[in-house]
């Protein structure tokens, strides 16, 4: 007759699983939750994340009501940083390399910083023939011109100004309207709407030069 042990000893694997519960770390980055492990965050011992999870950490970090570490950063750019610590590969999913580099530098993930800087350097050193100029046409009133030109960013540059106020009889000079042609150099080929904007801008530039 088989003997049933009513008080069996727990196996080492079971003990390992139960004690491993404290290996999980929850992060609240800009309102978005990330669940990871101490092992992942310890991949770079010089990083902010490694220092954050140490019991005798010199970093001061609040926790929310769920016990997650609160980090006031953009969660979109944090995801590639965390995934790099998980598997050692850089996956951008369409995100800006500069944006991810900003977060990698904040978290001080040294190998990822080097990888991103090299990638940006290779991108910027591509032959000029790969770069195309994109044109866009913005319509505005005269009193909006100064603000429009001063707030242009992301590489956009002023190219041409065409006064269309007299053609549409908008009245006094103060209410005259303008077409402002701006341009930007892009690495990717022009397609679809960008090509259409390019062609339209060239026509307007020719038209403006005859006025």
């Amino acid at each position: 007759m088989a003997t049933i042990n009513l008080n069996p000893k727990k196996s080492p694997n079971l003990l390992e699983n139960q004690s491993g519960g404290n290996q999980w770390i929850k992060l609240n980055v800009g309102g978005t939750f990330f669940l990871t492990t101490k092992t992942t965050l310890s991949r770079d011992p010089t990083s902010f994340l490694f220092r954050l999870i140490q019991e005798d950490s010199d970093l001061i970090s609040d926790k929310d009501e769920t016990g997650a570490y609160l980090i006031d950063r953009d969660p979109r750019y944090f995801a590639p940083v965390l995934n790099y610590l998980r598997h050692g590969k850089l996956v951008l999913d369409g995100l800006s390399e500069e944006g991810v580099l900003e977060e990698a530098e904040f978290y001080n993930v040294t190998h990822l910083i080097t990888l991103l800087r090299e990638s940006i350097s290779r991108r910027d050193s591509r032959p000029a023939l790969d770069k195309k100029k994109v044109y866009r046409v913005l319509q505005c009133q005269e009193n909006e011109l100064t603000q429009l030109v001063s707030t242009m960013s992301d590489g956009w540059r002023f190219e041409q100004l065409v006064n269309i106020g007299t053609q549409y009889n908008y009245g006094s000079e103060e209410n005259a309207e303008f077409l402002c042609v701006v341009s930007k150099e892009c690495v990717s080929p022009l397609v679809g709407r960008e090509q259409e904007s390019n062609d339209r801008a060239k026509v307007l530039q020719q038209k403006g030069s005859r006025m």
Side-chain angles (χ1 to χ4, degrees), residues 6-121:
L6 297 177
N7 189 25
K9 292 182 179 179
K10 294 178 179 177
S11 68
N13 288 338
L14 183 57
L15 285 172
E16 237 175 60
N17 291 337
Q18 289 185 344
S19 64
N22 60 5
Q23 292 297 311
W24 287 97
I25 300 292
K26 186 187 285 188
L27 304 171
N28 182 343
V29 181
T32 299
F33 289 97
F34 294 87
L35 191 62
T36 186
T37 65
K38 286 185 178 180
T39 301
T40 294
L41 299 184
S42 299
R43 292 273 162 76
D44 187 341
T46 65
S47 72
F48 166 90
L49 296 167
F50 175 80
R51 291 169 55 198
L52 180 68
I53 62 174
Q54 302 307 305
E55 293 183 2
D56 57 347
S57 175
D58 58 338
L59 299 176
I60 299 175
S61 178
D62 293 330
K63 293 184 179 182
D64 64 15
E65 62 278 4
T66 69
Y69 288 97
L70 286 165
I71 303 176
D72 185 20
R73 302 294 293 184
D74 192 328
R76 295 173 303 165
Y77 295 107
F78 174 70
V81 175
L82 181 59
N83 283 331
Y84 177 79
L85 291 173
R86 285 170 170 156
H87 49 58
K89 296 180 181 178
L90 175 59
V91 181
L92 294 174
D93 285 333
L95 292 173
S96 159
E97 290 171 310
E98 285 81 0
V100 179
L101 175 59
E102 184 73 23
E103 296 308 292
E105 290 177 338
F106 172 81
Y107 296 107
N108 195 36
V109 182
T110 52
H111 292 295
L112 180 56
I113 292 171
T114 301
L115 186 63
L116 283 162
R117 286 177 178 171
E118 290 175 350
S119 178
I120 292 172
S121 178

Side-chain angles (χ1 to χ4, degrees), residues 10 78 134 144 167:
K10 294 178 179 177
F78 174 70
V134 178
E144 299 171 330
Q167 292 181 349

Side-chain angles (χ1 to χ4, degrees), residues 129-187:
L129 293 176
D130 289 346
K131 295 183 178 180
K132 304 293 182 181
K133 183 172 279 192
V134 178
Y135 290 91
R136 285 187 179 171
V137 182
L138 309 173
Q139 186 170 349
C140 62
Q141 294 184 356
E142 184 176 7
N143 58 3
E144 299 171 330
L145 280 174
T146 302
Q147 181 181 2
L148 174 65
V149 174
S150 63
T151 55
M152 283 194 302
S153 60
D154 295 332
W156 289 100
R157 299 179 59 182
F158 172 77
E159 289 282 349
Q160 180 85 23
L161 188 66
V162 181
N163 187 336
I164 62 172
T166 54
Q167 292 181 349
Y168 290 91
N169 298 321
Y170 281 167
S172 65
E173 187 177 352
E174 288 75 20
N175 294 323
E177 296 225 348
F178 295 85
L179 293 179
C180 183
V181 181
V182 296
S183 68
K184 178 181 180 180
E185 282 194 345
C186 297
V187 174

